[in-house]
Amino acid sequence: MSTSHSSTCVYVKDDQHGWLPANVLSYNADNTTARVSVTVPSGSTSTSATTTEEREVTLSDYDSSALPLQNINEGGNLITMADMCDLPSLHEPAILYNLRNRHHNLQPYTRVGDIIIAMNPFQWIDGLYSDNVREEYVDRLVWRDGAAGACGDASSHGARDDPKAGLAPHVYETSSLAYRGLAVDDSHQSILVTGESGAGKTETVKIIMSHLASIQSTGAITEDQGTLPRPEPAEEHISHNPRDNCVVRRVLDSNPLLEAFGNAKTVRNDNSSRFGKYIQLQFDVEDSTEAAYKGKTVPSCLLAGSYCETYLLEKSRVVGHEEAERTYHIFYQLLAAPQDVKAGIWDGLMGATTESFRYVGGGSGNGDAGADTLIEGRTDGEKWENTVDALETIGIVGDKLRTLMRSICVVLQLGNLEFGADPNNDDASVITNADELSKLASLMGIDAEAIAKALTFRTITAGGRGKESYTVPLRPASAKDSCDAFAKEIYARSFDWLVRTINEATCAEQNYDDAADVEEFGVIGLLDIFGFEAFQVNRFEQLCINYANEKLQQKYTLDVFSSVQEEYEYEGIALGDISYSDNAEVLRLIEGRMGLIAVLNEECVRPNGNDTSFVSKVKTVNKDTASLIDERLHRPTEFAICHYAGPVKYDATNFVTKNTDTLAKDLIECAATSDNELIAQELQNSVKAKAEQAAAAAPTLGRGRSGAVTVSANFRSQLTSLMHNIGKTKTRYVRCIKPNPEKKPIEVDLLSSTEQLRCAGVVAAVNVSRAAFPNRLMHRTALERFSCLSSESIAEYDEKE
């Protein structure tokens, strides 16, 4: 047997499980294949009973034509490390099985340098978030002298220099290091939390927010005991309980509000965020010179407010959802409110249930996941009380609350309208349930006939100087689409109004007492954004989501590469050239001058622009781009992209319509006459904002850029701004993993977890970090292994140390 195959404990690829442990039995004469004994689970999860079977594997299917080694100790047991950088062999299956073992041991957090991987335990783990644990991380990583070198780099330089040494991996270390980085280094921070739906992103962000809010109030040991005291000014601004502070309470309560209006139950997650958000926590950071004069090593850093930006609310969920799923939580909470409260909002809610409204669950094929569904262990009625209390903290009470909730009722009622053919005109439609129309008219304060006309007719403006307008009737299907579009727009504008109101109530500039004395607030940004998606059928929404993940992956890879450079410089080792996966070509394909967004925008303004033409043009102008996959079996509306996480096939059906996303002028004018100020003003403001954006874009018209503001163009602008803001910060990462689709404790679906590791870029990061010297040993281990080459004994070395 070749000496390169001296270890027989390896991993082999498996279609059902991703990777499986195996033992090498033999190699063929020319070392091109191997005979292995594979341990195979009988089920899909890691706790299933196992059997063994022999297989023949082709070595060329593996990197460097070698089977990846298991990390096995002398006793034949799998080595598990809290920091995976310490694993002797670090590759995809080693990461997978290290995470699996820690998950089995109820250890949900694992490190890769400064990156935290969080595997959702799907159960409460006693003591994991206790006050003592929270204070331990703050004490070790914020207040102690040993934390001084912990702020800037993502590499581990050994126990003497790394304050994390001896601490179990935890998301608290991420928040503590970010806090100290802001307070001591005076460097803005950001924490990027990513993962698929159900992986625990939203909960992780809430844990981090709560911890950051509590750090300043965390007691510290006195100087006599050898550590740094907590900065004195904290007592003036915040009590031991951070929620006792009005601004902090508003900041913390903003998350449940965003969840109520922006989260929904899906098949993957009972509390799934259907939008992305970047929350910028604003801090009043004490000047380091002034702090030094006071004898403080750590300047005070007081939470003064927050500002939230949101991305890509899933509007389609407003009007439809799959069986066993739900639309947004707020609809169910409103319907579960006390009868007297509902009567005060709208008499149409009296006695109403989820079956009373089609968008929620009654009829039209929308599956009702159950009015009694528990979200985070609470009923919709209990959640309603929490939502109302949170709304009160940001000033939404009385008439303001009633107006907001009546706009939600308008959305519900629009879903109950039915459209049929006009008996006098086959090309026209009428609303067939006059009673439901009458309820809507009363609710909006608009004449029923005016609403009916706005929904069943469309005003067309002809081109040319005269711009002559004429009205055409809509067929029933088109009228229904118009009604759905109206409902989606009202909900989206209500959501935007809520976010703006939250920002007005929480931003430091308007709410912090000492805002006038602060030249610039320090920022710790928390990004909770949708993970990479690849379904059986991928639509416009998936393209936008994956575009965002490509941008974040580029930043992630560059940050990891920078940390590797710093580590090698610290060790005094020449790094040389490192090759790593670069997704610049994919980004050019999506956002470049001849890319998908440009071609799609051009198709949206072209007369008779359509999805098929869009796909055809994309394939023509990008035929030499390797990242674009064009297969013969693709339908006219299908194309595929080779993303960093793997190839994804997209169906471009309705791309043009979704990208345009304009509400008919008739509906805008109808809404403007409503006595609901939120609906009337917000829809008008939206039109004005789009017109201003279009006017700003007009001087720079080019291919794919017109005066019209499209969804993709707006999202690209948002992403550019987001990446610019993140680029000004020290970035830290939390990668969330969903261990199994069934949301069961302990279980790990190996294949699903492998795919998520690839999507999270963890494997790519490892490849970068180990590109030059892939195998690493602790100093003592190296001494023990190679002591025969040295005249100096280990004991003599220990004496020197």
Side-chain angles (χ1 to χ4, degrees), residues 167-321:
L167 279 175
H170 202 295
V171 74
Y172 284 163
E173 78 181 48
T174 305
S175 48
S176 296
L177 292 175
Y179 184 93
R180 184 177 174 95
L182 179 62
V184 176
D185 295 344
D186 196 23
S187 171
H188 296 310
Q189 307 280 308
S190 59
I191 301 173
L192 275 53
V193 183
T194 59
E196 75 168 40
S197 180
K201 299 188 300 297
T202 299
E203 288 304 310
T204 298
V205 168
K206 287 193 288 187
I207 291 168
I208 292 173
M209 280 185 66
S210 179
H211 190 223
L212 287 169
S214 70
I215 287 179
Q216 192 63 42
S217 64
T218 301
I221 305 173
T222 64
E223 287 183 275
D224 293 337
Q225 293 171 290
T227 63
L228 299 171
R230 170 171 49 87
E232 296 173 0
E235 295 293 346
E236 303 171 11
H237 295 272
I238 187 168
S239 70
H240 185 69
N241 181 358
R243 297 188 70 89
D244 290 343
N245 180 284
C246 180
V247 173
V248 174
R249 186 169 67 252
R250 290 177 185 173
V251 171
L252 295 179
D253 283 347
S254 66
N255 242 332
L257 277 182
L258 292 172
E259 287 182 24
F261 286 82
N263 287 25
K265 174 181 169 60
T266 68
V267 292
R268 294 186 173 190
N269 182 6
D270 289 346
N271 189 31
S272 176
S273 296
R274 310 314 301 164
F275 67 106
K277 63 178 179 287
Y278 184 53
I279 302 172
Q280 299 174 72
L281 300 180
Q282 300 169 300
F283 292 83
D284 181 0
V285 184
E286 183 180 20
D287 180 76
S288 57
T289 303
E290 292 182 7
Y293 279 132
K294 298 176 183 177
K296 296 187 292 185
T297 306
V298 181
S300 66
C301 191
L302 308 175
L303 180 60
S306 70
Y307 187 85
C308 180
E309 296 178 18
T310 60
Y311 309 91
L312 281 184
L313 177 71
E314 185 186 27
K315 295 200 294 185
S316 59
R317 184 166 292 272
V318 174
V319 300
H321 53 271

Side-chain angles (χ1 to χ4, degrees), residues 583-650:
N583 65 345
E585 183 183 71
V586 179
L587 286 171
R588 282 195 299 271
L589 172 63
I590 297 174
E591 64 181 8
R593 191 173 64 88
M594 306 289 283
L596 273 68
I597 292 177
V599 176
L600 180 58
N601 289 344
E602 183 180 77
E603 201 65 21
C604 288
V605 298
R606 186 178 68 85
N608 301 318
N610 59 81
D611 304 317
T612 302
S613 177
F614 157 68
V615 173
S616 176
K617 289 180 181 178
V618 164
K619 291 182 176 180
T620 299
V621 298
N622 294 282
K623 61 182 178 181
D624 296 326
T625 302
S627 300
L628 180 66
I629 303 173
D630 182 10
E631 296 181 353
R632 290 184 178 181
L633 296 179
H634 279 172
R635 296 175 181 175
T637 57
E638 291 180 340
F639 66 95
I641 298 176
C642 188
H643 288 284
Y644 74 89
V648 178
K649 183 172 72 174
Y650 295 95

Side-chain angles (χ1 to χ4, degrees), residues 417-606:
L417 298 184
E418 297 177 356
F419 298 86
D422 187 337
N424 301 316
N425 185 351
D426 292 340
D427 292 326
S429 61
V430 294
I431 297 175
T432 58
N433 49 351
D435 55 332
E436 298 292 349
L437 175 60
S438 178
K439 293 178 184 177
L440 177 64
S442 174
L443 181 60
M444 295 186 71
I446 303 175
D447 181 71
E449 186 176 338
I451 295 178
K453 183 178 180 181
L455 291 171
T456 58
F457 286 84
R458 186 66 63 248
T459 299
I460 305 295
T461 301
R465 295 180 179 274
K467 292 189 176 181
E468 181 179 349
S469 297
Y470 56 94
T471 302
V472 297
L474 298 177
R475 292 184 175 181
S478 296
K480 174 59 178 171
D481 290 343
S482 175
C483 182
D484 289 345
F486 198 26
K488 290 187 290 185
E489 188 69 12
I490 290 174
Y491 190 81
R493 298 288 75 78
S494 299
F495 181 79
D496 288 345
W497 176 86
L498 176 65
V499 172
R500 191 167 64 251
T501 304
I502 290 173
N503 286 336
E504 290 171 353
T506 60
C507 69
E509 292 82 359
Q510 297 182 34
N511 298 279
Y512 184 55
D513 289 342
D514 299 330
D517 300 326
V518 179
E519 183 177 345
E520 181 186 18
F521 287 102
V523 170
I524 299 180
L526 304 176
L527 181 67
D528 173 6
I529 203 162
F530 13 69
F532 188 89
E533 292 186 351
F535 303 132
Q536 286 294 108
V537 180
N538 298 284
R539 307 286 190 186
F540 178 74
E541 293 81 4
Q542 279 69 52
L543 177 62
C544 291
I545 287 170
N546 292 342
Y547 169 37
N549 278 271
E550 287 285 357
K551 296 285 282 188
L552 294 171
Q553 180 63 21
Q554 183 182 56
K555 166 71 174 167
Y556 178 58
T557 303
L558 291 174
D559 283 350
V560 172
F561 180 74
S562 297
S563 74
V564 171
Q565 284 183 311
E566 291 175 8
E567 182 178 7
Y568 276 62
E569 288 173 3
Y570 179 88
E571 297 283 354
I573 301 173
L575 181 59
D577 294 330
I578 290 183
S579 60
Y580 57 91
S581 177
D582 183 5
N583 65 345
E585 183 183 71
V586 179
L587 286 171
R588 282 195 299 271
L589 172 63
I590 297 174
E591 64 181 8
R593 191 173 64 88
M594 306 289 283
L596 273 68
I597 292 177
V599 176
L600 180 58
N601 289 344
E602 183 180 77
E603 201 65 21
C604 288
V605 298
R606 186 178 68 85

Side-chain angles (χ1 to χ4, degrees), residues 747-795:
E747 302 281 4
V748 176
D749 185 304
L750 296 172
L751 180 60
S752 172
S753 297
T754 300
E755 292 171 346
Q756 289 177 70
L757 287 172
R758 292 170 185 166
C759 293
V762 174
V763 177
V766 168
N767 291 338
V768 172
S769 67
R770 294 218 160 177
F773 292 94
N775 297 313
R776 305 177 184 192
L777 297 174
M778 300 299 291
H779 287 162
R780 186 170 186 83
T781 303
L783 284 170
E784 292 173 348
R785 181 171 296 185
F786 301 105
S787 59
C788 61
L789 302 177
S790 174
S791 60
E792 189 178 79
S793 68
I794 296 178

